[in-house]
Amino acid sequence: MPRVSYAFFGLAALCGLIGTIWGEHMGRTDNHSTFIAHAHLNLVGWVSMAVMGGFYALAAGTYPRWLAWTNFALQALAAVCLTIAMVYLMAFVDRRFVPVAIVGSASAIFSMVAFLAAVLISWRNSARSPG
Ligand code: HEM
Ligand code: HEM
């Protein structure tokens, strides 16, 4: 498996671990005030990173490596910034975290653009070989 996929799965597992401990804590304390941040850490960190890492493993050798690593860096930044921004902005309504939300949102969008580009380049490159 390519190193970029190990990076995606490593960070996905870390986000998944923190996200599930967080979920358990919300349930046990009956305090769901941070559930939006919990949801995004799990969906942007655990689920999306695992999906992307899986693609880069399956399509190894058909996409530019720099693009896959750019996708990884943007997705990691998105997971961290969106989670922090959603805790402080949406749960504690602290407006000082608006810039963190902007960085998180922008990196989430650019990360998806990078992933789409990688899928399309991989598709074009693999179309040249049979199967
Ligand atoms: C130990 C595991 C987990 C526990 C105990 C847990 C617990 C919770 C709790 C208490 C809420 C708040 C519900 C509410 O107030 O509406 C919540 C919301 C949510 N969780 Fe988890 N969670 C866990 C793992 C996960 C995982 C692995 C994912 C994603 C793959 C996930 C995705 C979500 C989503 C999307 C929401 C928001 C749902 C909504 O819009 O109401 N959770 N979770
Ligand atoms: C630019 C990045 C993103 C931003 C700024 C963002 C922001 C938001 C906001 C403001 C809500 C409404 C929360 C509420 O008041 O109930 C929401 C809900 C939700 N988002 Fe996102 N989101 C982003 C990316 C994503 C991604 C990539 C996924 C899935 C992989 C996702 C899954 C969800 C889900 C399932 C809900 C409903 C559950 C909840 O309320 O927590 N979001 N998002």
Side-chain angles (χ1 to χ4, degrees):
M1 192 163 78
R3 272 198 308 157
V4 72
S5 291
Y6 281 106
F8 269 109
F9 280 117
L11 200 54
L14 185 62
C15 291
L17 176 63
I18 297 169
T20 46
I21 291 172
W22 187 337
E24 188 276 338
H25 184 263
M26 284 193 300
R28 185 163 38 81
T29 58
D30 205 15
N31 178 355
H32 297 187
S33 58
T34 57
F35 84 92
I36 296 167
H38 154 85
H40 286 80
L41 178 63
N42 278 324
L43 295 172
V44 178
W46 162 233
V47 180
S48 303
M49 291 205 93
V51 170
M52 289 166 176
F55 168 78
Y56 290 118
L58 287 169
T62 62
Y63 50 80
R65 271 197 305 173
W66 68 266
L67 187 55
W69 281 106
T70 303
N71 186 179
F72 171 76
L74 289 168
Q75 191 68 19
L77 190 63
V80 172
C81 290
L82 280 180
T83 304
I84 292 172
M86 283 176 175
V87 169
Y88 287 97
L89 255 181
M90 305 185 83
F92 302 140
V93 200
D94 186 339
R95 305 278 311 163
R96 286 174 305 173
F97 284 81
V98 167
V100 184
I102 293 171
V103 172
S105 303
S107 39
I109 292 167
F110 287 125
S111 175
M112 284 296 174
V113 172
F115 185 58
L116 178 61
V119 171
L120 294 177
I121 291 170
S122 165
W123 190 0
R124 187 197 60 194
N125 289 342
S126 63
R128 294 192 186 128
S129 60

